[in-house]
Amino acid sequence: MKGILLCIAIAVFGASAVYSQTTAETPSPNGNTARITSSSTTSSSTPAKVGKLAATSLPPEKTNPVKAVRFEKPPVIDGKLDDDVWKTAAVFTDFYQVQPGDNLIPQNKTVVRLGYDPRFLYIAFHCFDEPDKVRANIAKRDNIWDDDYVGILFDTFNDQRRAYEFDFNPLGVQADGIWTEGMGEDFSLDLVMESKGIVTTDGYTIEVAIPFKSLRYVAGKEKLWGVHFWRRTKRLNNSLDMWIPLDRDKSSWLAQAGHLTGLDGLASERTLELIPSVTVSQTARRVRTFGVFPNTPAALTDTGRLVNEPVDLDIGLTGKYTLTPTVTLDFTVNPDFAQVESDQLVVTANQRFPIFFPEKRPFFLEGSDIFTTQIAAVHTRAIIDPDFAAKLTGKTGRTSFGLLLASDNGPGNFSADERTTILSAPEDTRNRYLDQNAPIGILRLKRDIGKSDSFVGLLATYYRFVDRYNKLGGFDGRFRLNKQTTFSWQALGTRTRRVHFFPEEGVFKDVPQNGFVYAISYDQSGRNFGQNFSMVGRTRYYQADVGFNRRPNTNNPNWFLRYNSDPNPKGKIVGWRVYTDFNSNFDWQGRSQNFNNESQFQLRLQRQTFIGIGSDNGYDRVFESEFGPKRQPGTDCVVNNTCTFAGEDNERSTYYHGIYAYAESTPSKKYSFNMFVNRMAGALDFDFGAGPKFPRVSPTALAAEQARAAGLCDPRDDEQPLPPVCRAPQDPGPGTFWHFDGGITYLPTAAINARLSYTKEHMRRFDSGQVAFDVNIVSLRTTYQFTRFLFARGRIDYDSTAANYKGQFLLGWTPNPGTAFYVGYNDDVNQNGYSPLSGRLEPGFRRMGRTFFIKMSYLFRRSF
């Protein structure tokens, strides 16, 4: 394996070296993201009247690198710009409104000052405004987007590929992340830094001190950093003012950045961070009263009882060592991966494929952008409970690299019910699987090409649990064709040993299988017109055990076309957009699986208001072999009662027609709302049912239910087999589908944030006229922020299908990344729900489980 990877790496980087010698300099790609970008704008110089278009050329102070000023004395970071040292700082002024306007003079003035000393980079913002109109709340870190805020991009390698992003609201609350061209923003990064802000009589001011040891960078007298400074004002149509104007005909922000120079004489430090953590928890869960096995007569009447488990003490250690300003080693031993906040409830009814949940654990989040590729072949939530893990990431020259190694205890750490079952297996089987670990490895290499954001890369992963293994490897790349257009691609091969199902034979076999996945994307993004053609394909036995697996045996071409108007910031209609999206699926046997065309029209209005309507029309088709054994030649599975699908047909198909509408608005700084509603006629119900509350309602399932009620399906001897109607094979069929989701956010004071959201999905089949499922999910979340670092949070989620309430209550203190103290309580209660033990309806409230925990961690940081 090592030899193969070495040969692949040599081939990739040898080819990239040849390519880089022949590639002309090109700007970098699409920077459109949710937080601060929606379009780019035309370059110009500062004019003299608010709202007028700027000139066509930049002044020298923006085209030439700005020399950073070295401070002899550090400023006090208190939000007040009264330190004399700020008078000597480099100054960035004369901003441009780039959203919604097209490089207009902004309504309010912004001034940025910058300086440094050997250990810190200092930035100050002075944002002029009417103080009573400034939106500033005591927000949680990385959650300042309902406020006014200022922001920075530092491209510390000046490679137009990756940059640090820093945002601060008027009170100095921080949001920090990584900006990657072509992928957008990732706010999972939390750096140690200091910031303060205050609302003043003429607006607000912010001071920031960023330690150089928190960053990866190159520096020196001749070195350049790419820089952007911006300011977002929510009440002015969410206007975005930037120091460097943006050309809407260029799809890259980093290629249009200004430049900072003169950062020399920095302290050369190696930094060690250690974060010991302690979690004390006490959990109660509902268990079987007598410990009986499932599916036995006693289990059918067992209501269970709530049992308190022993108090659990979990001690762990996470660390980081900065080997150089560009290379970092992260490590962890017995990490405490208990989630302080659980995943959002989602609708699982009628879902054929896994649902993606984002990573939330800090160890895996930091530096995760290096492992992110076009195909989700790395999704670290697949690493469940590592005893230890280590990660080496960084950049040297043109090469970025990442290596992650872990020993995961999760696969062999069976639950109590699973242990009850496995203990009945032969001793050699128990010893092979019980409490065994899975070794995991991930290798990522990227080689920059040319002076744009082009690259080629390699990705390899390895996973083994006992005799089950998964090996994955392949290449990817991104090439900038011109200032608007990029082409990306990726191809991976896999070798997997596990128990595979072979639908043609209708059997399971424990044999190795090879798999393949590919992805391409051609993206063109201009001022008014844009398009993207992409295609992704996976063979039947493609498997990424360290990644996220989507639909197998499919090819999915997609063509997206959009046109948007030039903005009119002062008009009632600020802008409009129309798009159409064609996509389809076909399997590797050439059979069509679906076709879809979505078209949408959107209006952007004043007060951050968006409304849109759209249509969804297409064709959906499923095959028996996707759900179970395929019908065998020479046998009549209808007569033998062995078909996966009911009836003579081994496939189902439907034409569907849908229409939807949505709206969102922030009419004031105290509240905002959003909603989306969709109706589709002809949507396919896969006949899974939705738990005890919504059993299957296909004609075959209803017929079987009637037969059982009539006693026709009672146990019989071998000479009198059950009638075929009792088997109720799967019978997918079309119906009418409704979806609604919406929510309202209310901020009555600067310290309180409340969010109420509601999701509903409902489906009624055409053939039986019965409701297949009706799901209602209600979530209420409220946060009281006593200070920037001390908060109390409550959250209640209700799922009508499970008749279940989940409550989460948390008191937290987080003065800096790594140092935290939490006290939490989680509760899980059913109301008139079905018992998970007996499957029977239980009236009233029944507690399913509860957890109380205290979690503490502390950051020790020392430089050498």
Side-chain angles (χ1 to χ4, degrees):
M1 184 71 177
K2 293 180 180 177
I4 293 174
L5 293 177
L6 180 60
C7 292
I8 291 173
I10 292 172
V12 169
F13 296 114
S16 71
V18 173
Y19 185 88
S20 63
Q21 293 174 5
T22 59
T23 304
E25 179 178 355
T26 53
S28 55
N30 190 354
N32 293 353
T33 56
R35 300 299 181 203
I36 58 175
T37 66
S38 60
S39 57
S40 303
T41 46
T42 309
S43 54
S44 53
S45 63
T46 307
K49 188 177 180 182
V50 171
K52 295 295 183 179
L53 187 67
T56 57
S57 59
L58 285 172
E61 62 267 20
K62 296 184 186 289
T63 56
N64 297 327
V66 176
K67 184 177 176 57
V69 175
R70 180 163 176 160
F71 287 170
E72 296 301 324
K73 179 182 178 181
V76 177
I77 306 301
D78 56 7
K80 303 174 183 178
L81 307 186
D82 54 1
D83 298 273
D84 289 338
V85 69
W86 287 121
K87 297 177 182 178
T88 66
V91 179
F92 303 81
T93 187
D94 296 332
F95 279 49
Y96 303 75
Q97 186 192 102
V98 301
Q99 294 174 12
D102 190 355
N103 290 333
L104 306 180
I105 296 184
Q107 179 169 324
N108 295 310
K109 182 180 178 181
T110 306
V111 178
V112 180
R113 302 179 186 274
L114 184 144
Y116 77 100
D117 62 24
R119 298 177 60 239
F120 288 89
L121 184 63
Y122 302 101
I123 307 102
F125 286 84
H126 192 165
C127 301
F128 294 86
D129 204 346
E130 300 174 60
D132 60 328
K133 295 182 179 180
V134 172
R135 297 190 183 181
N137 293 286
I138 308 173
K140 178 185 174 184
R141 186 185 184 117
D142 293 333
N143 192 28
I144 64 172
W145 316 116
D146 291 327
D147 295 343
D148 296 339
Y149 60 89
V150 297
I152 311 163
L153 279 184
F154 282 136
D155 182 358
T156 56
F157 289 91
N158 194 36
D159 58 10
Q160 302 178 14
R161 291 168 173 84
R162 180 181 182 274
Y164 289 98
E165 179 178 342
F166 302 97
D167 299 278
F168 309 91
N169 81 351
L171 302 181
V173 181
Q174 305 163 2
D176 49 353
I178 295 294
W179 174 295
T180 305
E181 285 289 9
M183 295 182 184
E185 300 158 294
D186 177 6
F187 285 95
S188 60
L189 177 73
D190 285 329
L191 297 180
V192 177
M193 58 181 167
E194 188 177 1
S195 61
K196 295 287 180 64
I198 57 173
V199 177
T200 63
T201 57
D202 60 356
Y204 61 94
T205 56
I206 298 170
E207 290 181 302
V208 181
I210 303 174
F212 285 108
K213 63 185 178 183
S214 292
L215 307 176
R216 295 177 184 172
Y217 62 90
V218 293
K221 188 173 296 185
E222 304 300 326
K223 300 294 184 180
L224 298 177
W225 285 13
V227 294
H228 274 303
F229 300 100
W230 61 76
R231 171 188 181 180
R232 179 75 79 179
T233 307
K234 306 301 286 187
R235 77 177 188 280
L236 301 178
N237 276 332
N238 206 31
S239 69
L240 181 66
D241 305 339
M242 298 190 69
W243 177 62
I244 292 288
L246 295 178
D247 187 343
R248 292 178 187 260
D249 284 319
K250 294 180 180 179
S251 63
S252 168
W253 275 40
L254 295 184
Q256 303 181 68
H259 289 93
L260 182 68
T261 188
L263 293 171
D264 58 341
L266 305 186
S268 179
E269 295 180 325
R270 293 185 178 182
T271 303
L272 175 65
E273 297 181 3
L274 294 176
I275 306 175
S277 64
V278 178
T279 301
V280 181
S281 62
Q282 202 278 318
T283 299
R285 66 186 189 96
R286 197 172 179 188
V287 300
R288 300 186 185 279
T289 304
F290 304 109
V292 295
F293 287 97
N295 304 318
T296 61
L300 296 178
T301 58
D302 186 6
T303 59
R305 59 195 179 96
L306 197 69
V307 175
N308 289 323
E309 297 180 349
V311 175
D312 182 58
L313 176 64
D314 196 356
I315 300 175
L317 176 68
T318 299
K320 178 194 299 290
Y321 185 53
T322 305
L323 301 173
T324 72
T326 64
V327 180
T328 301
L329 173 67
D330 294 90
F331 55 91
T332 184
V333 179
N334 190 33
D336 175 18
F337 281 162
Q339 286 187 219
V340 172
E341 182 178 5
S342 62
D343 295 314
Q344 181 71 35
L345 288 184
V346 297
V347 177
T348 59
N350 212 39
Q351 294 289 334
R352 292 178 61 196
F353 307 110
I355 298 173
F356 182 87
F357 290 100
E359 179 64 89
K360 296 183 177 181
R361 300 170 295 180
F363 174 80
F364 290 120
L365 286 172
E366 186 161 352
S368 61
D369 57 290
I370 184 66
F371 299 106
T372 302
T373 62
Q374 200 170 351
I375 297 166
V378 174
H379 183 45
T380 49
R381 282 192 70 145
I383 306 174
I384 303 168
D385 183 20
D387 287 336
F388 64 86
K391 180 171 56 176
L392 183 70
T393 56
K395 184 169 186 177
T396 174
R398 288 178 169 267
T399 303
S400 301
F401 59 88
L403 176 65
L404 190 153
L405 302 173
S407 179
D408 189 7
N409 178 250
N413 187 15
F414 295 92
S415 68
D417 288 341
E418 291 169 335
R419 287 174 183 267
T420 301
T421 303
I422 201 171
L423 286 175
S424 63
E427 184 177 356
D428 61 335
T429 301
R430 298 199 305 266
N431 294 338
R432 288 177 64 206
Y433 293 98
L434 202 61
D435 297 323
Q436 298 299 308
N437 278 30
I440 296 170
I442 305 172
L443 173 66
R444 175 64 168 158
L445 300 171
K446 287 175 66 176
R447 176 75 174 181
D448 296 344
I449 298 175
K451 296 183 179 180
S452 68
D453 56 318
S454 301
F455 72 86
V456 292
L458 173 148
L459 178 67
T461 70
Y462 177 80
Y463 180 101
R464 176 180 285 274
F465 179 62
V466 192
D467 54 0
R468 166 187 162 182
Y469 62 80
N470 175 247
K471 303 174 185 178
L472 176 148
F475 306 98
D476 65 321
R478 175 183 171 90
F479 305 123
R480 175 158 290 281
L481 306 181
N482 56 48
K483 64 182 182 179
Q484 294 183 355
T485 311
T486 59
F487 176 74
S488 304
W489 59 274
Q490 188 169 14
L492 300 169
T494 64
R495 177 75 170 174
T496 306
R497 180 179 176 181
R498 60 164 54 201
V499 177
H500 293 99
F501 179 66
F502 295 82
E504 292 79 6
E505 306 171 45
V507 297
F508 290 90
K509 294 182 182 179
D510 185 2
V511 294
Q513 288 290 313
N514 296 325
F516 176 72
V517 61
Y518 69 88
I520 61 171
S521 174
Y522 175 88
D523 187 86
Q524 179 185 1
S525 182
R527 172 187 297 270
N528 301 111
F529 173 77
Q531 65 172 325
N532 175 275
F533 177 81
S534 62
M535 190 166 180
V536 180
R538 301 173 186 83
T539 61
R540 175 176 291 166
Y541 297 111
Y542 165 78
Q543 179 72 25
D545 281 359
V546 193
F548 180 74
N549 298 287
R550 304 178 189 272
R551 184 177 190 175
N553 190 26
T554 191
N555 299 272
N556 173 220
N558 183 88
W559 188 24
F560 174 87
L561 298 160
R562 59 96 179 158
Y563 183 87
N564 56 269
S565 68
D566 287 325
N568 179 15
K570 300 297 183 181
K572 292 183 179 180
I573 298 178
V574 179
W576 56 268
R577 184 179 80 151
V578 62
Y579 76 73
T580 189
D581 187 10
F582 302 94
N583 70 81
S584 67
N585 284 78
F586 59 91
D587 63 21
W588 287 78
Q589 290 75 44
R591 301 175 299 183
S592 173
Q593 295 172 318
N594 71 15
F595 171 80
N596 175 262
N597 173 231
E598 179 193 357
S599 298
Q600 184 191 114
F601 178 72
Q602 180 193 91
L603 288 176
R604 181 178 181 181
L605 311 175
Q606 299 289 333
R607 295 181 180 270
Q608 302 173 64
T609 301
F610 298 84
I611 58 174
I613 58 172
S615 66
D616 235 337
N617 301 284
Y619 168 77
D620 206 359
R621 182 187 186 193
V622 295
F623 299 95
E624 192 175 49
S625 59
E626 297 181 87
F627 298 85
K630 182 179 179 181
R631 303 180 187 212
Q632 301 301 307
T635 62
D636 192 336
C637 68
V638 177
V639 174
N640 297 334
N641 195 26
T642 58
C643 300
T644 300
F645 278 1
E648 302 287 344
D649 293 333
N650 65 352
E651 64 177 74
R652 298 287 190 274
S653 63
T654 178
Y655 288 93
Y656 58 85
H657 308 279
I659 187 169
Y660 64 85
Y662 65 90
E664 61 178 274
S665 181
T666 308
S668 81
K669 64 181 180 180
K670 288 196 173 185
Y671 63 92
S672 62
F673 70 87
N674 68 282
M675 59 80 65
F676 175 89
V677 61
N678 176 34
R679 180 187 184 275
M680 186 173 292
L684 203 58
D685 168 41
F686 300 119
D687 198 21
F688 293 148
K693 207 168 185 179
F694 291 97
R696 296 166 54 203
V697 294
S698 63
T700 55
L702 294 177
E705 181 62 29
Q706 292 173 356
R708 283 190 289 269
L712 300 178
C713 300
D714 294 337
R716 306 182 182 192
D717 56 39
D718 294 339
E719 295 181 359
Q720 290 183 312
L722 294 178
V725 69
C726 297
R727 183 172 173 272
Q730 199 165 351
D731 191 10
T736 301
F737 173 79
W738 282 92
H739 173 93
F740 174 86
D741 66 75
I744 183 168
T745 301
Y746 182 51
L747 296 87
T749 70
I752 299 177
N753 185 313
R755 169 77 179 174
L756 176 66
S757 62
Y758 172 61
T759 300
K760 180 182 182 68
E761 287 196 0
H762 174 97
M763 186 164 193
R764 184 183 296 273
R765 287 183 63 123
F766 292 154
D767 47 18
S768 66
Q770 300 294 308
V771 174
F773 55 86
D774 186 6
V775 183
N776 299 272
I777 295 176
V778 182
S779 296
L780 174 63
R781 174 171 173 165
T782 303
T783 302
Y784 188 88
Q785 205 80 33
F786 298 97
T787 68
R788 284 176 54 185
F789 309 123
L790 180 64
F791 66 90
R793 182 164 68 233
R795 173 174 160 182
I796 298 176
D797 298 307
Y798 173 70
D799 183 346
S800 67
T801 305
N804 176 261
Y805 292 89
K806 283 186 169 61
Q808 304 168 45
F809 308 95
L810 184 71
L811 177 68
W813 178 64
T814 55
N816 63 53
T819 299
F821 178 80
Y822 298 104
V823 178
Y825 176 73
N826 298 339
D827 213 342
D828 184 356
V829 179
N830 279 2
Q831 181 190 19
N832 299 326
Y834 287 82
S835 168
L837 305 179
S838 67
R840 296 190 173 190
L841 182 66
E842 298 179 328
F845 286 92
R846 296 295 181 96
R847 177 168 280 113
M848 299 293 104
R850 64 188 176 199
T851 300
F852 175 80
F853 67 91
I854 298 174
K855 178 177 179 178
M856 299 168 284
S857 63
Y858 187 81
L859 170 65
F860 294 93
R861 199 178 205 211
R862 184 176 179 182
S863 298
F864 303 93

